[in-house]
Amino acid sequence: MVETLLLWFNRFTDDPAKVRARLAGRPVLVYEPPTDDTVDEDDENDDYQLRTQSGLSVPSIGGGDPMAVVIEKTKDNAFQRRITIGRTGNNDIVLDDSSVSRFHAWIEQQNQDWVIVDAGSRNGSTIGGRKVAPRAPATLTNGLNVRIGALQLTYYTAQGFLDMLHRRATD
């Protein structure tokens, strides 16, 4: 479930053990909206195909608030092993941006690694600045920048997310 990063931060400062238990070793995607000093100059030249918004019935990432989502299956999604990412509400992770395809990509665990696979989306995906080839798994590592369409996210392992919350609590 998508929740504000502030809510995660408050939970962590109240009871770090409870947050650790909630994560149960699962990784997290964090979205922080771009600010004037984080906007990539090259993004202005990117040729994204804009598409209409689909009806959203679940919480989504995109817009003005920093958000975090634990990477986990929702009970209503048909794909058993894949955690789907896309613009429509039937995905496990909903990204509210017109540059994101209805079904854009998926994340799954392969052995000990988590991988992202672009589903052949119109605007593509990148990890660490490198384009993800359609239907080719790309391994995710802690702190890695992931771009889905035009949305910039950060992938964290469970421990990496806890470390990030701890750093922000002590700054």
Side-chain angles (χ1 to χ4, degrees), residues 26-30 113-114 128 139-146 153-165 167:
R26 291 185 297 266
V28 177
L29 282 175
V30 172
D113 295 325
W114 286 88
T139 303
L140 296 166
T141 57
N142 187 59
L144 191 64
N145 289 325
V146 177
L153 308 162
T154 305
Y155 170 87
Y156 290 101
T157 62
Q159 187 59 52
F161 184 63
L162 291 167
D163 292 345
M164 182 269 294
L165 291 172
R167 275 192 310 278

Side-chain angles (χ1 to χ4, degrees), residues 7-82:
L7 181 60
W8 279 100
F9 177 77
N10 289 337
R11 283 184 190 146
F12 180 79
T13 55
D14 289 343
D15 190 351
K18 195 177 239 185
V19 172
R20 180 174 275 106
R22 165 64 179 100
L23 294 174
R26 291 185 297 266
V28 177
L29 282 175
V30 172
Y31 166 77
E32 296 186 78
T35 59
D36 290 339
D37 57 339
T38 62
V39 172
D40 184 357
E41 302 271 332
D42 293 336
D43 280 351
E44 293 177 19
N45 298 324
D46 285 342
D47 186 24
Y48 290 111
Q49 304 261 341
L50 299 181
R51 303 176 75 177
T52 59
Q53 285 296 109
S54 301
L56 297 174
S57 60
V58 297
S60 61
I61 292 176
D65 293 323
M67 305 293 276
V69 60
V70 177
I71 297 174
E72 61 188 351
K73 286 299 300 168
T74 59
K75 63 181 178 172
D76 298 331
N77 191 286
F79 295 102
Q80 295 298 315
R81 292 178 18 117
R82 299 174 178 171

